[in-house]
Amino acid sequence: MNTPLLPPGAEVERVPLEGGSVRVLRGGSPRGPALLLVHGGSSDNAAISWYRLFAPLSRKYHVVAPDLPGFGGTTGIDPVGGPERQADFVAALASELGLADVVAVGVSMGGDTVLNLALRHPRLVRGIVLIAPGGLVPALRGRTAQRAAWLFTRLPDRVLLPAARLANRFVGTALRTVVRDVSALPDEVVREFRREALRADAGLGYLRYNQAVIGPRSMRNNLLPLVGRITVPALFFHGRNDPLVPPEGSREAVRRMPNARLALVSDCGHWAQLEAHERFLAELTDFLAGLEE
């Protein structure tokens, strides 16, 4: 229960950065094209989001997946907050690892980070893949919901952190609010999600992200006015039944971006790369092949 999950095909590397230690999962040959994978929020980490992808992708690509500060096995670095700072952190890590010309893949909060990576560090990325990405809605559904969410994030840590720890004990309930069918998830992923949720500082990284992006009347991370500036090829992959991030944001982003397409998956919730693994791997493989033509 206390042993961190390691996806098949992955190895663990510790990278000193910003006075701390970043846990990075790596697979494949460093000589192959680089895929930089950015996990989501809540009780996520690199091993959870990308558990099913390391083995198939490592056969051809150099796969790199870090735990962001405040998540997983990364230690000694305070959570950086919003997606802009997360993007800068990922870019600094990529530089430390000698990565360039990467295809960046992000899910949920990590999709928000990858969009910002493409905007803030365009020379680093040659293509992006966004799975149910955050950062593409002007506001939460309804003024009351927006105001309530903002007020909650304004509470002091002495209130928020115990509340997060209490909520994290109900792992089964949390998963049922994220995925269409919990039985579609590997048992190993469910166990790691539970282990991550019960860490002493679990939720702190996601809390700092939400404090940065949720405003009293609107979302501070809405990138729809800016995504048209992203010209690299982009693939959006979104579950049609996503209960957390409306697919409409992905649809609108694709409409505004010059080189983007959307794969919308029926009977699929928020963790689309895990729930619809075979479909995602097929779409991703086709996208990557197109970049090499």
Side-chain angles (χ1 to χ4, degrees):
M1 181 68 178
N2 292 322
T3 303
L5 179 67
L6 185 64
E11 297 181 352
V12 178
E13 180 177 346
R14 307 296 309 193
V15 180
L17 189 67
E18 297 187 7
S21 175
V22 183
R23 185 183 78 152
V24 178
L25 304 183
R26 301 183 79 159
S29 169
R31 294 186 294 274
L35 303 182
L36 181 58
L37 313 182
V38 186
H39 65 76
S42 184
S43 297
D44 204 357
N45 64 36
I48 292 173
S49 271
W50 314 118
Y51 178 75
R52 283 178 152 164
L53 288 173
F54 262 90
L57 292 178
S58 295
R59 297 180 190 123
K60 183 175 181 180
Y61 299 98
H62 179 202
V63 186
V64 180
D67 286 339
L68 296 172
F71 297 87
T74 290
T75 58
I77 310 173
D78 290 336
V80 296
E84 299 95 339
R85 294 184 64 191
Q86 287 185 348
D88 293 344
F89 178 85
V90 170
L93 177 64
S95 177
E96 186 72 18
L97 293 172
L99 301 178
D101 200 31
V102 305
V103 176
V105 184
V107 56
S108 192
M109 180 193 75
D112 193 359
T113 299
V114 166
L115 284 167
N116 278 276
L117 191 69
L119 287 165
R120 297 169 69 85
H121 304 277
R123 294 182 180 179
L124 175 61
V125 298
R126 63 179 303 209
I128 57 175
V129 180
L130 299 315
I131 306 158
L136 296 173
V137 294
L140 300 179
R141 291 169 176 165
R143 292 182 181 179
T144 301
Q146 182 75 43
R147 181 75 176 179
W150 174 75
L151 287 172
F152 181 77
T153 65
R154 297 303 100 188
L155 293 172
D157 281 359
R158 68 177 184 274
V159 176
L160 285 173
L161 294 180
R165 284 193 289 270
L166 178 61
N168 285 345
R169 292 184 178 274
F170 300 95
V171 173
T173 301
L175 286 174
R176 285 191 292 273
T177 65
V178 174
V179 301
R180 179 81 165 174
D181 180 8
V182 176
S183 67
L185 302 178
D187 292 340
E188 299 90 336
V189 166
V190 175
R191 288 196 293 268
E192 177 70 0
F193 187 82
R194 180 175 289 108
R195 191 195 68 82
E196 179 75 12
L198 295 178
R199 285 194 304 113
D201 56 351
L204 187 59
Y206 194 47
L207 170 61
R208 295 292 184 252
Y209 168 81
N210 281 313
Q211 287 173 328
V213 303
I214 299 175
R217 297 180 182 84
S218 62
M219 298 299 292
R220 298 187 178 118
N221 63 332
N222 177 26
L223 293 175
L224 284 177
L226 303 177
V227 292
R229 301 178 187 175
I230 299 174
T231 58
V232 295
L235 169 65
F236 286 75
F237 192 83
H238 213 129
R240 193 181 296 272
N241 307 102
D242 190 335
L244 297 182
V245 178
E248 288 74 22
S250 290
R251 284 197 191 97
E252 182 60 22
V254 168
R255 190 184 70 81
R256 299 185 183 203
M257 293 169 65
N259 197 8
R261 65 180 178 87
L262 169 64
L264 195 60
V265 187
S266 299
D267 298 319
C268 182
H270 185 62
W271 253 351
Q273 84 285 5
L274 284 166
E275 295 179 74
H277 166 69
E278 296 297 337
R279 170 74 185 277
F280 177 71
L281 186 59
E283 294 282 355
L284 177 62
T285 300
D286 183 64
F287 177 77
L288 294 173
L291 294 179
E292 296 169 8
E293 293 177 352

